[in-house]
Amino acid sequence: MSGQKLLSTIGFYALVVVIVVFSVFPFYYAIVTSFTTGTDLFKINYWPRAFSWANYETVLGGRNFVRSIWNSVFIATTTVVFALFLAVTASYALARVRFRGRGLLLMMILAVSMFPQIAVLAGLFELVRFLGIFNTPWAMILSYVIFTLPFTVWVLTTFMRDLPVEIEEAAIVDGATPWIIITRVFMPLLWPALVTTGLLAFIGAWNEFLFALTFTSSETTRTVPVAIGLLSGASQQEIPWGPIMAASVIVTVPLIILVLIFQRKIVAGLTAGGVKG
Amino acid sequence: MATNTGGLSLTQQRQRAAFWFIAPMLAALFFVAAWPLIRTIWFSLTNTALSDLYGGEWIGFDNYLSLRILESGRWIWRGTLVDPAWWNAVWNTVRFAFVSVFFETVLGLIVALVLNAEFKGRGIVRAAILIPWAIPTIVSAKMWAWMLNDQFGIINDIMLNLGLIDQKIAWTASTETAMYAVLMVDIWKTTPFMALLILAGLQMVPRDIYEAAKLDGVNPVKVFFRITLPLIRPALAVAIIFRMLDALRIFDLVYVLTPNSAATKTMSVISRENMIDFDKFAYGAAQSTLLFAIIAVFVSLYIWLGKVDFSGEGQR
């Protein structure tokens, strides 16, 4: 009996190790590659052998990649601030006020968040051209509203529903208007939810590729995913794997750190966006 | 109950405020979602070109399907619905969606069960599985493109050493393996998300059920199929449809990992290619409209199956 138990414990931990190795190995290998240069790249290294910052210097020395990082930071931040601003008031109304058609409205918002982005590409392309914002950050900021806004509204609505009724009732008795209730009563309670939702929306905007690829035409306006996706060498055969891996590590490390810090909150936010209900 | 302020009841006052709170969001969504969608559908019924967006003429459903009968009596069908490249893309997308979601569900379930157990180092495992999820899709595509490189890729090296293959495989370039490459990366990247959704379902199962089963000496495998699975089925169904919607619209991974490969080209990729690269703007718009229709069916399914609580009343 105890032998069998030992065996199943070993089996369980073996499974755990397999899961961890599978999850982490590709990123580990990208880091190893990013510190490798020259002909060492073409030997297969399981462990870091050389240690050189040359690839990082190549990537950060070229002005376009740094520019792309700033583009991405600006676009993602502006999008998130805008989405949260619209979402806080809207989700208060959706979570706390009873009115006809509320269910239908929420259903529509959920449906929009599941939209295939390609379905609006032609129409958005026209809109972007019409507004004269093609090949500027504003084209992305405009188009990212389509997935950040429904997501933030949906998640904040589920968060706000769970806040106790008593707080609001006390405020109403004191004669507070809905605006005062949101800004003075709910906002302080909502901070954790806002940070989580904002972070998830930020990651979504940071990673977006289709719109950024279609609405930019010059290297200086590219966002990070487009810059990495289109990073190529002098010829097709000469793909600069070292610099690509360095660029990948640069844009991924901050995300991973943020995600690990906010782990629990993110899991809660993700499940609220996915299966709550 | 109603405390009258300025002639309006409290409820009325709150409803009026709610309207003004919701209006800006609805206006924004109309502007970036509804209107462009309507325009896309409109474009699909015209012969608009990318270079001249306002010069299109109404051609009805010709982009979808049209029939011309020649004088010789021959029938010529045209349009997306008889385009083999389109049907190839549909087949690729459907195959990709079903296979990837199947593996993600099975593996996600395993990971979720592991995370639901209590053991030392659970926090580390949870943190580790969040890493693939946190990495941008484009970055994952590049990382795996390097690992799957035919000459210097580590995957070929590992498989050669293990004796699984006897010669190096050009994973992303060869038509036979390109789809496997895309599936591999997508499963790696998305299983964590699936696992977290399933874990949320698992954690709602009361612990005492397991303890009762344990006391009765029920076989753990039986416990899983008789107790756990039926109880988490609603959460599982919703997670699967959610993933399915995402898989059906896949664009970035395919575009970057296997550029221009007919073996992996999905509906989104072919629509954009026609719209932007091949100057068949209206034709691409018709294809994206078809994809929208397919996904709309799945969304209705999600809302119906998920029984999502929109009213916010009851249940909880």
Side-chain angles (χ1 to χ4, degrees):
Chain A
M1 185 63 198
S2 76
Q4 203 188 353
K5 202 173 174 196
L6 184 72
L7 213 65
S8 70
T9 310
I10 291 174
F12 180 81
Y13 274 95
L15 185 63
V16 167
V17 170
V18 168
I19 292 172
V20 172
V21 169
F22 261 96
S23 310
V24 177
F25 184 79
F27 188 58
Y28 159 80
Y29 193 60
I31 296 174
V32 171
T33 307
S34 72
F35 288 114
T36 318
T37 50
T39 52
D40 274 353
L41 267 175
F42 305 122
K43 289 178 216 141
I44 285 147
N45 302 311
Y46 287 83
W47 307 105
R49 218 174 277 169
F51 188 82
S52 147
W53 289 96
N55 291 322
Y56 288 88
E57 280 160 17
T58 313
V59 166
L60 295 174
R63 277 167 58 190
N64 286 334
F65 188 72
V66 179
R67 184 74 196 264
S68 294
I69 293 179
W70 284 119
N71 288 339
S72 276
V73 169
F74 175 67
I75 289 167
T77 313
T78 316
T79 309
V80 169
V81 169
F82 182 69
L84 283 180
F85 180 73
L86 287 182
V88 168
T89 49
S91 53
Y92 168 78
L94 287 167
R96 290 297 183 159
V97 183
R98 282 164 188 252
F99 56 89
R100 269 224 315 259
R102 179 166 71 165
L104 190 72
L105 209 58
L106 271 166
M107 199 156 76
M108 263 171 50
I109 291 163
L110 184 70
V112 172
S113 75
M114 292 172 181
F115 245 48
Q117 279 144 27
I118 192 81
V120 292
L121 191 69
L124 264 180
F125 188 83
E126 183 203 18
L127 189 62
V128 162
R129 274 289 163 90
F130 175 77
L131 295 172
I133 53 174
F134 182 77
N135 205 22
T136 69
W138 299 105
M140 270 69 80
I141 292 168
L142 176 80
S143 50
Y144 290 0
V145 171
I146 196 175
F147 60 89
T148 49
L149 188 55
F151 171 78
T152 45
V153 169
W154 182 256
V155 177
L156 285 179
T157 302
T158 54
F159 270 113
M160 269 206 232
R161 251 185 222 164
D162 293 343
L163 294 179
V165 193
E166 290 77 16
I167 305 175
E168 202 184 350
E169 275 171 356
I172 293 172
V173 169
D174 290 346
T177 60
W179 177 251
I180 299 284
I181 294 177
I182 293 180
T183 50
R184 300 277 170 79
V185 182
F186 274 12
M187 279 296 259
L189 296 170
L190 270 181
W191 270 119
L194 282 177
V195 171
T196 317
T197 325
L199 185 66
L200 286 170
F202 185 91
I203 292 176
W206 180 269
N207 294 351
E208 201 283 334
F209 184 67
L210 175 63
F211 291 145
L213 177 73
T214 311
F215 299 148
T216 57
S217 60
S218 54
E219 283 190 29
T220 49
T221 52
R222 280 177 187 164
T223 61
V224 165
V226 181
I228 292 179
L230 302 181
L231 205 64
S232 54
S235 72
Q236 267 301 333
Q237 276 69 41
E238 266 180 83
I239 300 171
W241 289 112
I244 288 177
M245 289 305 130
S248 300
V249 172
I250 293 170
V251 300
T252 309
V253 165
L255 284 188
I256 289 185
I257 291 172
L258 278 176
V259 166
L260 293 185
I261 292 175
F262 292 99
Q263 249 198 79
R264 278 172 188 286
K265 294 253 163 62
I266 283 180
V267 172
L270 272 182
T271 42
V275 286
K276 202 89 172 256
Chain B
M1 182 76 186
T3 349
N4 277 332
T5 26
L8 284 172
S9 79
L10 185 64
T11 321
Q12 277 174 321
Q13 203 191 5
R14 279 168 66 81
Q15 282 176 349
R16 178 168 291 192
F19 173 79
W20 288 110
F21 284 162
I22 291 174
M25 176 207 65
L26 280 185
L29 281 185
F30 176 82
F31 197 53
V32 298
W35 175 248
L37 179 67
I38 294 167
R39 288 300 291 172
T40 303
I41 297 171
W42 159 263
F43 281 133
S44 78
L45 302 169
T46 67
N47 60 1
T48 307
L50 182 65
S51 47
D52 184 12
L53 290 175
Y54 299 100
E57 288 161 6
W58 177 270
I59 57 165
F61 287 93
D62 284 7
N63 282 323
Y64 297 91
L65 191 64
S66 71
L67 172 65
R68 242 180 27 175
I69 304 175
L70 297 185
E71 281 174 26
S72 62
R74 254 176 38 131
W75 289 30
I76 295 185
W77 294 96
R78 279 166 173 246
T80 306
L81 291 174
V82 289
D83 184 349
W86 166 251
W87 287 111
N88 175 50
V90 172
W91 170 233
N92 281 342
T93 314
V94 169
R95 198 166 43 141
F96 167 79
F98 277 93
V99 177
S100 69
V101 172
F102 173 78
F103 279 102
E104 282 153 21
T105 309
V106 173
L107 296 174
L109 199 52
I110 294 173
V111 176
L113 285 171
V114 167
L115 282 176
N116 200 36
E118 271 161 38
F119 63 96
K120 251 190 205 159
R122 181 163 69 163
I124 295 170
V125 181
R126 197 219 279 265
I129 68 156
L130 273 172
I131 289 178
W133 175 81
I135 294 176
T137 311
I138 300 304
V139 171
S140 339
K142 284 289 179 192
M143 271 166 34
W144 279 84
W146 170 233
M147 295 199 333
L148 291 167
N149 187 291
D150 50 344
Q151 297 290 316
F152 318 112
I154 194 162
I155 303 268
N156 274 338
D157 192 63
I158 292 171
M159 291 181 93
L160 276 174
N161 286 338
L162 292 176
L164 291 170
I165 51 174
D166 45 22
Q167 58 181 16
K168 290 183 171 178
I169 297 177
W171 289 98
T172 56
S174 142
T175 47
E176 286 109 68
T177 53
M179 185 52 100
Y180 294 123
V182 172
L183 282 168
M184 223 186 285
V185 183
D186 193 72
I187 291 167
W188 173 76
K189 180 157 172 53
T190 324
T191 299
F193 178 72
M194 204 67 175
L196 291 176
L197 290 190
I198 297 172
L199 183 63
L202 278 177
Q203 282 169 343
M204 280 192 264
V205 179
R207 293 257 162 192
D208 18 334
I209 295 187
Y210 293 121
E211 268 156 38
K214 206 172 177 184
L215 279 178
D216 290 345
V218 184
N219 180 328
V221 179
K222 210 170 178 183
V223 172
F224 174 74
F225 283 104
R226 292 285 173 80
I227 299 175
T228 316
L229 208 53
L231 280 173
I232 61 164
R233 220 178 50 197
L236 202 60
V238 173
I240 288 173
I241 295 170
F242 203 65
R243 268 304 304 149
M244 204 67 182
L245 292 171
D246 234 18
L248 285 171
R249 61 186 176 186
I250 184 172
F251 173 81
D252 37 10
L253 176 60
V254 177
Y255 186 90
V256 172
L257 189 67
T258 59
N260 293 319
S261 168
T264 56
K265 212 167 265 179
T266 60
M267 288 190 260
S268 287
V269 174
I270 199 170
S271 308
R272 186 191 176 276
E273 190 180 73
N274 279 318
M275 238 185 276
I276 309 293
D277 301 334
F278 292 170
D279 201 18
K280 294 202 283 191
F281 190 72
Y283 192 67
Q287 294 180 327
S288 60
T289 305
L290 285 176
L291 174 60
F292 171 74
I294 294 171
I295 290 188
V297 171
F298 271 86
V299 172
S300 329
L301 208 66
Y302 169 83
I303 287 168
W304 178 61
L305 269 184
K307 293 199 183 70
V308 186
D309 180 20
F310 289 113
S311 58
E313 296 145 20
Q315 275 177 32
R316 207 134 5 152

